[in-house]
Amino acid sequence: MRADDTRDRKSGRLVYRRDFLALTAGGTVSGILLTGCTLPGGSPWRFLTPEEASLLESVVDRIIPPDVDPGAAGAQVVRFIDLQLVSYYQAHQETYRRGLAALEQTALRLGGGSFNGLSPEEQDKMLIQLESDDVPAELWSELSSSAFFSLLVDHTMQGFYGPPRHGGNRELVAYQVVGLPYPQILGRVHPPDKEVPRPRSTRVNPAASTAQPSR
Amino acid sequence: MFRPKKNSDQEDKPPKKERGRRRRFVFWAAITILVLFGAAVLINAGYYVGSISSGAFCATCHIIRPSVELWQVSTHRNIPCSDCHGSAFTLSVEAQRTHWERLYLQLTGRLPRDVALKDRHVDALNERCIACHQQAGAAWIAGGHSMRYRDVFLNTQQNRSVQLNDDCFRCHGLYYDRGAVTTLVEPIDTTGPWRFRDPAVADRPAIPCLSCHRMHTPGSPAARPNYAEPRRIGQTREAPVHSLAFYDRRERLSVPTRQLPQPRLTDTGRSVTMSPDRRQALCYQCHAPDTSYHVGSGDDRTPVGVHEGISCLACHANHTQDARASCATCHPKMSNCGLDVEKMDTTFRSSDSPNNIHWVRCEDCHRQGVPERRAPGS
């Protein structure tokens, strides 16, 4: 603290100004902070970089490609993986970081361009090479490409077919694809309301059917 | 020459000219900072006010961006987010606390997995829905879906027959977000007396609007038909895209009726003719048959007999569930016997009748045999 601060405090004159200045400065900083907070264009990903996410979308969409129904990318499988990588699958963070980088390098070397820029057939061919460890060894020295591919398949399946609460299976798309009725129709667990007359046939044979719900 | 002695304070003070310069410096620094601060506030406020109506401000938060994108193509696209969700400029301590909590989590990197409505938010939203949709709100209050938590969870007759359990939340208290039923009511047994752990929940709606309606769903605002071709209005009118959806508490997701399963019921081995009305898939989520999928089992009211194949919503009004006008809507054109059906011995006339209106058959009244169907016009 400077000497003149003490003097000013004693005189009781500049104190208010100083507080005012501090508030003003604080307000300005807050304003700038909030402006930065609301600037559009922030990455929607928690672990992945936008480039990694884009690459991963292309990969998972070859594992479960779209047809009349959305594929893995449309089902937000990448969102599922990204969410899991900062929670339950933190142990796989480094695998994804290295694996995706190596995949891109492999595409550049073998395919002559970025993986995203390859045709679906070329992407499939590259993923088959990944699965069979038929890739440049120097690019995959720290990680087995087949193990990485296997991990990708596992996580894609989990994200696509798992409950949407985990981040994937957007709008229950997987359940629609496989024809799984959801939410299931489940009768109440309580004794029948005696005040409501049952249909005549129910009184005769109350459990005659094993019919299943349809979609 | 006499020179007055200065006190120590005066001795420390810089010359008057320097003090004046310093004060001017502080003054202009303050003015500069003030101008900067004002500009920052104005830019923020302008950005906020300008973008709030388009949802752009809300969409800057990537977590709720999908919701904003759905709202932008919804029936409510012309209604600002703040009209339903409230704005930052609120005097509500609770809302301000929530806002600061979220800002703190955002700045510290502890982002929530998803942004979902809490039960207290749903209560507020319910009031805002009704503020605009007053007729629907009045019908909902008068109907059978306006029960409060106290009506459901402190119902002595119900609690004595079946012990309260978590499955109750599937249809009652769909947005209850504090966990298991043990966090709501005590004791959990069939003897009682029962009371809420937090008495504040007693008047909370057990089936709020958002239980059956999904707001962020594609749809078009109402538009006038093309009066240039008035005779074609009926044929060219767009089918309404309704917001009906069932809120699944487990997934914290509203499932639209087009995705909900329609049961295929049987009646003593016979397959029951079901109405193709997709809307009733919503009814079946709670008014469901038991695992036998036999008509009339569980809480199912699928019509068989003379009303087989009719949709729930053909008779029941959508918010009151009132069916008083239903007979007049169809009868006597569809009546086979020419009687005043409203006066026949069914539960439509009296709840004491043994003939449930959902399942009444010709044989229930014609015990000696059903007469031949009359020819049309006879």
Side-chain angles (χ1 to χ4, degrees):
Chain A
M1 186 178 282
R2 284 163 36 197
D4 58 341
D5 287 345
T6 314
R7 187 189 62 240
D8 294 334
R9 196 155 286 150
K10 276 183 186 171
S11 66
R13 292 170 64 198
L14 269 178
V15 171
Y16 300 108
R17 262 190 299 215
R18 190 155 289 144
D19 285 348
F20 172 74
L21 289 173
L23 276 171
T24 309
T28 307
V29 170
S30 301
I32 293 165
L33 192 68
L34 284 173
T35 312
C37 200
T38 57
L39 277 175
S43 171
W45 309 108
R46 292 162 197 240
F47 172 75
L48 300 167
T49 64
E51 294 76 25
E52 288 172 336
S54 173
L55 172 60
L56 197 52
E57 281 193 342
S58 299
V59 174
V60 299
D61 237 10
R62 297 317 306 158
I63 295 172
I64 303 180
D67 45 25
V68 291
D69 295 302
Q76 289 188 335
V77 165
V78 177
R79 180 171 177 263
F80 162 81
I81 293 173
D82 185 57
L83 281 170
Q84 301 311 314
L85 285 175
V86 293
S87 52
Y88 300 108
Y89 290 166
Q90 285 186 33
H92 295 301
Q93 283 186 354
E94 201 56 31
T95 309
Y96 269 89
R97 190 121 286 160
R98 290 180 181 176
L100 290 171
L103 173 60
E104 183 66 359
Q105 288 300 317
T106 308
L108 287 169
R109 184 176 297 185
L110 300 183
S114 170
F115 186 87
N116 283 343
L118 301 178
S119 68
E121 292 75 24
E122 290 170 325
Q123 289 178 340
D124 286 349
K125 187 180 169 190
M126 187 143 299
L127 292 176
I128 290 168
Q129 287 178 288
L130 219 66
E131 187 182 18
S132 53
D133 279 325
D134 183 18
V135 287
E138 62 273 22
L139 295 179
W140 293 89
S141 58
E142 298 174 334
L143 182 68
S144 156
S145 68
S146 58
F148 181 58
F149 180 78
S150 176
L151 187 74
L152 284 174
V153 171
D154 285 351
H155 289 178
T156 303
M157 294 295 177
Q158 290 170 15
F160 190 79
Y161 293 108
R165 78 186 82 139
H166 300 303
N169 194 359
R170 184 184 188 185
E171 298 289 322
L172 306 169
V173 61
Y175 298 167
Q176 292 169 62
V177 169
V178 299
L180 180 71
Y182 189 89
Q184 287 187 315
I185 295 171
L186 301 168
R188 293 190 298 178
V189 183
H190 70 84
D193 187 348
K194 290 173 185 168
E195 292 176 5
V196 179
R198 301 282 102 188
R200 194 173 295 278
S201 53
T202 308
R203 295 179 208 139
V204 178
N205 188 358
S209 169
T210 55
Q212 295 299 310
S214 65
R215 284 182 68 234
Chain B
M1 187 177 173
F2 175 74
R3 300 177 76 176
K5 190 181 177 184
K6 289 180 181 175
N7 61 31
S8 59
D9 274 4
Q10 284 174 327
E11 280 175 357
D12 289 345
K13 281 185 179 176
K16 198 173 181 181
K17 197 174 177 182
E18 191 184 334
R19 273 189 289 159
R21 197 163 49 222
R22 189 173 291 175
R23 284 183 182 173
R24 275 198 300 278
F25 173 77
V26 170
F27 174 76
W28 284 111
I31 292 290
T32 307
I33 292 173
L34 195 63
V35 168
L36 285 173
F37 177 67
V41 169
L42 281 175
I43 290 167
N44 271 298
Y47 178 62
Y48 180 76
V49 172
S51 59
I52 193 81
S53 56
S54 68
F57 181 84
C58 306
T60 54
C61 171
H62 60 78
I63 301 172
I64 61 168
R65 196 174 292 164
S67 292
V68 175
E69 287 169 358
L70 272 172
W71 162 78
Q72 285 168 335
V73 295
S74 76
T75 309
H76 291 98
R77 68 182 71 161
N78 297 324
I79 298 170
C81 309
S82 54
D83 279 17
C84 295
H85 295 282
S87 82
F89 302 120
T90 173
L91 295 176
S92 163
V93 175
E94 173 62 33
Q96 290 296 354
R97 187 175 67 83
T98 308
H99 295 161
W100 284 105
E101 266 177 16
R102 285 179 183 162
L103 184 60
Y104 174 73
L105 292 173
Q106 179 83 21
L107 293 176
T108 53
R110 284 180 284 177
L111 304 176
R113 179 173 287 255
D114 237 327
V115 174
L117 292 170
K118 293 189 179 298
D119 51 6
R120 62 176 187 274
H121 301 145
V122 174
D123 293 352
L125 274 171
N126 219 53
E127 290 171 12
R128 288 172 189 148
C129 295
I130 293 172
C132 287
H133 301 276
Q134 294 206 358
Q135 193 169 354
W140 171 76
I141 286 283
H145 289 159
S146 62
M147 70 268 287
R148 301 156 298 178
Y149 274 40
R150 70 166 78 224
D151 301 319
V152 177
F153 296 101
L154 299 187
N155 184 312
T156 307
Q157 189 185 358
Q158 173 70 24
N159 290 2
R160 282 191 180 143
S161 62
V162 179
Q163 183 169 304
L164 286 168
N165 59 79
D166 293 343
D167 194 48
C168 302
F169 288 131
R170 190 156 51 84
C171 294
H172 305 289
L174 293 84
Y175 282 89
Y176 183 72
D177 60 5
R178 300 183 199 179
V181 74
T182 49
T183 64
L184 178 67
V185 181
E186 61 181 5
I188 300 297
D189 59 23
T190 53
T191 53
W194 300 272
R195 69 177 190 85
F196 288 120
R197 284 177 176 267
D198 175 11
V201 302
D203 290 325
R204 177 166 285 167
I207 309 177
C209 307
L210 293 178
S211 307
C212 300
H213 293 281
R214 172 166 142 154
M215 290 300 95
H216 292 248
T217 198
S220 302
R224 288 192 176 83
N226 179 14
Y227 285 109
E229 296 185 84
R231 286 197 299 175
R232 295 188 60 211
I233 287 174
Q235 286 73 35
T236 55
R237 185 178 286 128
E238 283 184 32
V241 179
H242 52 71
S243 62
L244 288 180
F246 180 71
Y247 184 75
D248 181 40
R249 183 170 175 264
R250 290 166 298 182
E251 296 294 344
R252 300 205 300 184
L253 177 74
S254 277
V255 184
T257 47
R258 67 174 182 281
Q259 291 182 24
L260 292 173
Q262 287 265 40
R264 194 176 295 150
L265 300 182
T266 60
D267 180 18
T268 327
R270 179 183 67 87
S271 181
V272 172
T273 303
M274 307 285 294
S275 164
D277 186 356
R278 294 294 307 175
R279 295 174 300 170
Q280 62 179 6
L282 180 63
C283 312
Y284 278 114
Q285 281 298 319
C286 291
H287 298 279
D290 66 20
T291 51
S292 72
Y293 277 81
H294 193 274
V295 70
S297 62
D299 202 18
D300 164 60
R301 299 286 183 275
T302 304
V304 288
V306 297
H307 293 136
E308 185 167 329
I310 294 177
S311 163
C312 312
L313 290 152
C315 297
H316 292 279
N318 49 10
H319 284 111
T320 60
Q321 292 79 51
D322 181 30
R324 289 288 110 187
S326 61
C327 297
T329 304
C330 294
H331 293 279
K333 188 175 174 60
M334 288 175 64
S335 172
N336 291 321
C337 41
L339 297 175
D340 183 351
V341 291
E342 293 190 15
K343 292 178 180 166
M344 292 171 77
D345 181 20
T346 66
T347 52
F348 179 87
R349 186 184 180 207
S350 166
S351 58
D352 296 330
S353 169
N355 301 315
N356 191 300
I357 192 69
H358 297 96
W359 304 312
V360 67
R361 301 160 191 265
C362 300
E363 296 87 343
D364 290 336
C365 295
H366 298 281
R367 297 295 173 91
Q368 306 303 319
V370 180
E372 287 292 317
R373 186 184 292 258
R374 294 179 191 174
S378 64

